[in-house]
Amino acid sequence: MSFSRASSQLERLAISVQRSTALRTTTFKARQRTVVLPHIRKWLSTSHTKPIYPSAPSVNSSGDTSRAPTNKLATIHSYTNQVLNSLPEAIPTKYALSGEEALRMLGTLAASARQQDLALIERMLGSFPSLCGLQVDADIHNHILRGLMQHGNVQTMLNWLCQMHEKPGNVKPFLEHWHTFLDYCADTGQPRMIRHAMSKMAHSGRKPNNSTFRIFFRALFNSGAPVNEFYSAFDRIENYSFRYDESLAGMLHEGFSKLNLPQQAVEVKEEFERRFSKRVVKANAMQVEWEEGLENEVERCGIASAVRLCEEFRRDGYRVTSHTLTIMLRCSREVADLEYGEKALQVKAGPMQWSILITNAVRAGDIRGAQLIYRQSQSCGVLPDAPLVQPLLTGFCESAFGSANDGLIDQALDLYNDLARAHPLSSSNPAAPKAFGRQRSFGPDAFMYGTLLRAMANSVDVQKYSKLSTDLLADMEDRGIAADGHVVVSSLIVIAMRCSTSLDDALAAYRKVIGKDAPKAIGVKGYRWILHILSRLSFNEQRALPPIWHYFEVVKDMRRSGLEIPPHVYASLLRRLSQLAENAPKEQIFRLAASVRRVHDHLTLDPSITPDTLLWNQLMDAYQRVGLFVEAYRVWEMLLISETYDNASVSIILDACGYANTWPLAEQVLKKLSERSFPLNQGNWNSYVECMCRNGMLNDALKTVCLEMGKNNKDVKPNLETARLLLTFAMKTNQQDEVSMRLQRYLPELWESLPAHLTGSVIKPEGV
């Protein structure tokens, strides 16, 4: 059955239903839920989410780690969507689910971990107080993580952790969340994932501590790692604030001794002590345990509760140090917390503690607040050092990206000058050479110079900062800091390219900075940035084509340097070609189409790249934007056969069918998606509606909007964009009055929310 015929039948059905009373409709929905709920509850009463994770996920013969059969998951989806669609706006007096039932459903969905199951979890969390009376907190996320561990996909778990603060409840992962995940990785022998997670953990503001490193070492032992991997682990630990712990040294010695490797046991322990024993004053095992307890208390209950716990620990022998105040301020960004901690602990705050407040304010997006904290630190007589200045300086530089002026970069330079004056070079205290990296120093360091140069390279007035970048390079040389780091070199290349006068000049500038005989290493990120800038150089031309030849010359250098070519390298160039195709004259469309084909040829012939869905989507979109529909549809068929498509793929191919006036193919797309039970999102529905409108099927589009969209899922109900599409196409055929009346009748809430320029211009008669 076609969508238009189905829409017609649905409209007749809707009219007949409207003749029934609202009471009968409500009774029907309640009866429908009453029939399904016992099945849910019967199953939930006989199944449970395990409170602890297994040491390794069990996998059936098909490779599926889901714990619940598909039919039970389908029942959960059906019932939960019905309930969520009928929830009142206000908190109800009687909940559709008990808290225990809701948690079990979350655990079951998490243990399946399919895309649609994770989407339903987020939908449930968005209405959790109304659904079961519980607030979304850290314990709810703990329950979900345990479910994900039953599934066993560690990347899915890590993604959930990294995105927790963006999900309903806005809960930032606690240390216990991270350690629960890391423990799972250690038990299953996955140290590589732990290394990756530790960097994500530090970036989120939850820096690894001694317990984290203990888990890391356990993972290395469980995976049978050789000695050199332990030394690499020491290299990684040096990037974090680490308090020497004799028990960790003992753990390393004992681990190799159990493997009957006594010589390696001695060597690894000695190397660990050589690197770390003098970095920080030794702390006994109990001191470390107390401080980890304080960290957890601060995260869960705040600084006042942690101070009370600290007093209990002191009676048992805990020794308060400046590090104690650092722990207390781990989650704070208020000077009042620092003052309270100083008074309660009898410890004077230094640059490190002030730096924590500034860092937390910057992470929260409060740059002005961070600036005020910095000024207060100066009024208290705190001498600025790199850890104190760097967070605010980075905040200014990152906020400057995309800004219409360079004022924030100038403020970052003012901070740099404050620091340089506080720590001048002198013959009696020369600076030691430093390698590029996150090494801390009292004065300006390599990381700070990289941050400033990157901001200058992205500035509005790059010519202005070209001279200043030369001055910074001279300062680096004076301080003995090598200008050969990834960020520094790539920033200098971008500045030189943006100051060039032609594409050939830009490529020559790139080669001059990177060097010929011994090319400087700039890493994958550096190459991606350089290629992005190169594809967008215009030299006062309004629609200059990206330099395909120049672009792939740099790609060759990237490959010769031993770096993997990521799909983004091709996707970025295709995205630029797609942008240039918008409203371009016909002769340029021909040239753009030829460029897209050439990029596709390079992609096909490049054995070093494995295209992902994002890249195929970008290729399909580029083809359809330059008018090559047949090629775009071939890409779609490849994605469909390989089942690597996503919602973006669906929107792109529906848009392509709309512009190419090929409605039968659009019907085929929707039919095949329906056969695969693929859920359309809001963007897919709008693309579907626009496709019908472009194919002269305004009435069918109107029926779809009024009778189908959002009936089974509130998340995809018609929105402003949907109405705008209908009214825009209605004006072209003088059908705006009919469309307006139908929208007012079937979607009164949407109609009332439309801006006046849509409703007024559409329904107002001519001459009024």
Side-chain angles (χ1 to χ4, degrees):
M1 182 185 295
S2 69
F3 263 80
S4 58
R5 289 180 60 194
S7 300
S8 178
Q9 291 187 14
L10 282 170
E11 183 171 23
R12 289 196 297 273
L13 177 61
I15 293 172
S16 66
V17 170
Q18 283 184 340
R19 292 170 182 166
S20 303
T21 63
L23 178 61
R24 288 181 59 192
T25 302
T26 304
T27 303
F28 170 75
K29 289 182 179 178
R31 188 186 306 121
Q32 191 178 32
R33 289 197 301 272
T34 304
V35 170
V36 178
L37 183 56
H39 295 288
I40 294 281
R41 286 184 169 155
K42 180 180 179 182
W43 176 64
L44 288 174
S45 66
T46 58
S47 63
H48 64 278
T49 301
K50 297 181 181 179
I52 58 174
Y53 53 82
S55 59
S58 60
V59 183
N60 60 28
S61 59
S62 65
D64 184 14
T65 56
S66 303
R67 292 295 189 272
T70 305
N71 60 336
K72 291 181 178 179
L73 289 168
T75 305
I76 290 178
H77 274 266
S78 175
Y79 173 72
T80 307
N81 281 315
Q82 289 176 33
V83 171
L84 292 174
N85 285 334
S86 59
L87 282 179
E89 296 294 331
I91 302 295
T93 55
K94 186 176 181 181
Y95 301 108
L97 293 172
S98 69
E100 184 180 0
E101 289 167 343
L103 288 176
R104 285 180 176 174
M105 291 172 73
L106 287 179
T108 301
L109 292 167
S112 172
R114 298 177 304 172
Q115 181 180 355
Q116 56 265 46
D117 297 323
L118 297 179
L120 183 57
I121 288 176
E122 289 202 46
R123 196 162 176 240
M124 288 177 67
L125 295 181
S127 303
F128 223 54
S130 300
L131 183 66
C132 63
L134 297 180
Q135 297 294 327
V136 179
D137 58 13
D139 290 331
I140 299 294
H141 282 282
N142 257 335
H143 192 86
I144 295 169
L145 283 170
R146 286 196 293 270
L148 292 173
M149 286 170 187
Q150 290 189 53
H151 181 267
N153 188 317
V154 289
Q155 187 60 55
T156 302
M157 300 177 215
L158 181 59
N159 291 343
W160 188 274
L161 275 171
C162 294
Q163 297 164 10
M164 264 176 59
H165 66 286
E166 300 174 352
K167 298 182 186 297
N170 304 115
V171 179
K172 289 186 176 181
F174 291 176
L175 273 172
E176 67 178 89
H177 291 119
W178 287 105
H179 285 174
T180 299
F181 168 66
L182 297 179
D183 273 326
Y184 177 85
C185 293
D187 287 345
T188 53
Q190 302 186 64
R192 182 178 298 180
M193 178 55 71
I194 292 181
R195 283 193 292 268
H196 182 51
M198 282 170 61
S199 62
K200 297 285 186 182
M201 180 180 175
H203 183 72
S204 73
R206 299 290 182 259
K207 294 184 178 180
N209 62 11
N210 287 39
S211 291
T212 314
F213 304 137
R214 187 173 287 108
I215 295 170
F216 189 17
F217 293 151
R218 182 158 58 86
L220 290 171
F221 281 121
N222 287 345
S223 66
V227 172
N228 64 319
E229 288 200 26
F230 283 83
Y231 292 156
S232 296
F234 298 165
D235 294 339
R236 182 169 295 271
I237 290 173
E238 284 182 326
N239 292 325
Y240 304 111
S241 299
F242 175 68
R243 291 173 62 80
Y244 179 79
D245 182 356
E246 288 182 345
S247 66
L248 279 176
M251 174 190 180
L252 292 168
H253 186 276
E254 181 182 357
F256 280 101
S257 297
K258 286 182 177 179
L259 296 173
N260 199 25
L261 298 170
Q263 182 178 350
Q264 286 88 339
V266 173
E267 290 176 354
V268 171
K269 182 181 179 182
E270 289 179 349
E271 177 64 16
F272 181 79
E273 291 177 335
R274 184 188 69 79
R275 292 205 196 191
F276 302 112
S277 61
K278 295 181 180 180
R279 282 183 58 180
V280 184
V281 177
K282 292 185 180 181
N284 61 47
M286 201 62 211
Q287 183 87 355
V288 173
E289 184 176 330
W290 281 325
E291 289 181 347
E292 290 180 1
L294 291 177
E295 288 181 12
N296 291 328
E297 188 70 14
V298 165
E299 286 194 331
R300 280 196 165 275
C301 305
I303 186 172
S305 179
V307 166
R308 289 192 293 270
L309 182 61
C310 181
E311 290 302 316
E312 295 180 19
F313 289 165
R314 290 178 84 163
R315 288 192 288 271
D316 294 332
Y318 174 65
R319 182 168 54 88
V320 173
T321 65
S322 61
H323 185 64
T324 309
L325 182 57
T326 299
I327 292 172
M328 295 296 175
L329 298 174
R330 188 174 298 277
C331 304
S332 298
R333 53 188 176 98
E334 299 291 339
V335 175
D337 288 341
L338 181 142
E339 294 171 344
Y340 171 76
E342 282 184 318
K343 184 177 179 180
L345 301 175
Q346 303 275 304
V347 174
K348 181 66 176 175
M352 174 61 73
Q353 288 76 32
W354 284 96
S355 171
I356 291 172
L357 299 184
I358 293 172
T359 300
N360 289 339
V362 171
R363 282 202 177 107
D366 185 11
I367 301 296
R368 182 176 293 276
Q371 191 175 19
L372 291 174
I373 295 171
Y374 172 75
R375 289 173 180 169
Q376 284 183 268
S377 74
Q378 299 307 285
S379 65
C380 291
V382 176
L383 185 69
D385 62 9
L388 177 67
V389 170
Q390 182 70 56
L392 182 55
L393 184 145
T394 301
F396 280 139
C397 290
E398 291 183 351
S399 299
F401 295 161
S403 176
N405 60 69
D406 297 325
L408 292 172
I409 299 177
D410 293 335
Q411 291 187 64
L413 285 168
D414 289 340
L415 284 175
Y416 164 78
N417 290 328
D418 285 350
L419 183 62
R421 284 192 295 268
H423 300 279
L425 285 172
S426 64
S427 57
S428 60
N429 184 27
K434 303 179 183 65
F436 186 80
R438 286 180 177 268
Q439 295 179 336
R440 299 289 76 178
S441 67
F442 291 113
D445 59 14
F447 184 66
M448 184 173 295
Y449 285 113
T451 304
L452 287 169
L453 288 168
R454 182 178 57 189
M456 292 176 177
N458 284 302
S459 63
V460 176
D461 187 1
V462 70
Q463 296 287 347
K464 165 187 171 183
Y465 292 108
S466 178
K467 171 62 169 65
L468 289 173
S469 67
T470 304
D471 295 340
L472 282 184
L473 286 176
D475 289 351
M476 290 180 71
E477 184 178 353
D478 291 342
R479 292 181 181 272
I481 300 174
D484 57 0
H486 292 184
V487 178
V488 170
V489 176
S490 56
S491 298
L492 294 174
I493 289 172
V494 170
I495 291 173
M497 287 170 56
R498 291 187 62 198
C499 291
S500 301
T501 57
S502 68
L503 290 173
D504 289 338
D505 189 21
L507 190 62
Y510 154 78
R511 297 215 178 280
K512 181 179 180 181
V513 176
I514 201 170
K516 295 181 180 179
D517 299 331
K520 297 182 177 68
I522 57 176
V524 173
K525 289 185 178 180
Y527 272 111
R528 283 178 56 173
W529 185 21
I530 290 166
L531 289 168
H532 174 82
I533 295 298
L534 183 60
S535 67
R536 283 153 177 80
L537 292 176
S538 61
F539 304 108
N540 298 321
E541 298 178 49
Q542 289 296 320
R543 287 183 173 272
L545 287 177
I548 303 295
W549 178 81
H550 297 75
Y551 191 92
F552 283 106
E553 279 294 301
V554 177
V555 173
K556 286 180 184 177
D557 288 347
M558 186 177 182
R559 187 182 298 108
R560 280 195 291 264
S561 68
L563 295 173
E564 182 181 351
I565 308 298
H568 181 275
V569 165
Y570 287 88
S572 177
L573 181 55
L574 289 167
R575 186 178 301 112
R576 179 58 177 165
L577 293 169
S578 299
Q579 293 169 348
L580 291 172
E582 187 175 355
N583 299 321
K586 183 176 294 186
E587 60 273 11
Q588 188 171 34
I589 288 290
F590 291 144
R591 295 168 61 198
L592 287 168
S595 295
V596 173
R597 289 184 191 274
R598 269 185 283 169
V599 174
H600 193 178
D601 290 341
H602 275 279
L603 174 60
T604 304
L605 297 173
D606 190 344
S608 66
I609 189 169
T610 302
D612 57 8
T613 302
L614 175 64
L615 175 52
W616 289 125
N617 284 348
Q618 199 61 63
L619 178 63
M620 179 167 56
D621 186 55
Y623 270 137
Q624 74 98 0
R625 288 180 183 273
V626 297
L628 299 177
F629 174 76
V630 173
E631 286 82 352
Y633 199 80
R634 283 176 184 157
V635 175
W636 162 252
E637 288 184 316
M638 182 274 299
L639 289 171
L640 191 68
I641 292 170
S642 61
E643 296 206 350
T644 54
Y645 58 90
D646 58 13
N647 289 106
S649 314
V650 175
S651 290
I652 291 169
I653 193 58
L654 289 176
D655 287 341
C657 290
Y659 280 97
N661 292 313
T662 54
W663 173 247
L665 289 178
E667 284 187 303
Q668 286 295 316
V669 169
L670 270 297
K671 179 183 177 182
K672 290 177 181 178
L673 291 173
S674 178
E675 291 170 352
R676 289 163 172 77
S677 300
F678 183 81
L680 301 182
N681 66 13
Q682 183 80 62
N684 297 152
W685 277 99
N686 284 340
S687 295
Y688 174 41
V689 169
E690 182 176 352
C691 182
M692 284 190 282
C693 291
R694 291 193 180 279
N695 280 270
M697 302 167 60
L698 180 62
N699 288 333
D700 293 291
L702 189 56
K703 290 175 185 177
T704 298
V705 170
C706 294
L707 302 175
E708 292 183 44
M709 282 186 71
K711 296 305 177 184
N712 297 318
N713 184 355
K714 287 182 179 179
D715 292 341
V716 296
K717 65 182 181 180
N719 60 5
L720 174 61
E721 176 63 16
T722 317
R724 187 194 64 78
L725 281 169
L726 288 173
L727 292 169
T728 299
F729 281 96
M731 292 178 69
K732 296 178 180 179
T733 56
N734 201 27
Q735 293 177 270
Q736 55 266 46
D737 289 342
E738 178 186 351
V739 171
S740 299
M741 288 187 291
R742 298 275 283 279
L743 290 177
Q744 285 176 298
R745 177 183 177 186
Y746 288 98
L747 302 168
E749 292 184 5
L750 174 61
W751 178 259
E752 290 296 327
S753 68
L754 295 181
H757 76 273
L758 279 179
T759 57
S761 62
V762 169
I763 63 175
K764 189 179 293 184
E766 292 185 7
V768 177

